[in-house]
Amino acid sequence: DVASLGQKGIRSLAVARTKQCHPDEWEMMGLLTFLDPPRPDTKQTIDEARDLGVQVKMITGDHLLIARNTADQLGMGNRIFGADLLPVLDAETKAKPPNLSQDYGDICLAADGFAQVFPEHKYLIVECLREMHYTTGMT
């Protein structure tokens, strides 16, 4: 099943089509699977950064299962959380939450990474860490 593939770091994409006689009904045609492993030098780069005192966190749009597998491959820790634990910008004003670092600082510090994030989550993680006087960088 798709979950067991994800736990192994295998991405999957379902392919379906509508039935000819029932255009409102879908018929599963198959499942495409593929790997997108980290580059060969990524683990070494992370290890070198850690040796220099840099705390490295993974922030990815990948599914949580894929992110946890990637973190395991790279020796990044197992505290990979979903974006559901992260703040969002105000829907109308696009302002960050007023108590960003007070409300989310602990989770941002404790996490080895976050999965299923959108660009606004990345922005708010960085802003949260900056509010707590951490120097941040992102690739």
Side-chain angles (χ1 to χ4, degrees):
D1 72 27
V2 173
S4 64
L5 292 171
Q7 288 173 334
K8 297 173 188 168
I10 302 172
R11 291 165 167 77
S12 56
L13 178 67
V15 179
R17 68 177 181 185
T18 56
K19 294 183 177 182
Q20 285 185 346
C21 56
H22 301 285
D24 294 338
E25 293 181 30
W26 290 86
E27 175 181 28
M28 175 83 158
M29 301 302 296
L31 195 63
L32 301 175
T33 60
F34 57 99
L35 290 172
D36 184 18
R39 291 191 337 238
D41 63 339
T42 302
K43 182 169 179 8
Q44 179 182 345
T45 301
I46 291 168
D47 291 342
E48 289 174 3
R50 285 193 171 137
D51 290 345
L52 295 170
V54 176
Q55 185 179 6
V56 179
K57 296 179 182 294
M58 178 176 57
I59 305 172
T60 179
D62 285 340
H63 188 278
L64 186 58
L65 293 173
I66 300 291
R68 286 182 173 158
N69 179 275
T70 301
D72 184 56
Q73 289 180 54
L74 299 173
M76 295 188 68
N78 59 5
R79 294 171 304 202
I80 309 297
F81 304 118
D84 56 313
L85 298 180
L86 294 171
V88 293
L89 297 172
D90 182 273
E92 290 181 27
T93 66
K94 302 300 182 201
K96 64 183 180 181
N99 299 314
L100 182 62
S101 60
Q102 283 180 316
D103 295 343
Y104 296 94
D106 289 344
I107 191 72
C108 288
L109 288 175
D112 295 316
F114 291 98
Q116 295 172 251
V117 302
F118 291 108
E120 77 177 70
H121 294 120
K122 292 181 181 184
Y123 163 73
L124 290 170
I125 291 167
V126 169
E127 282 300 302
C128 180
L129 294 170
R130 284 182 179 168
E131 282 184 11
M132 295 186 302
H133 307 289
Y134 285 88
T135 302
T136 61
M138 190 181 311
T139 63

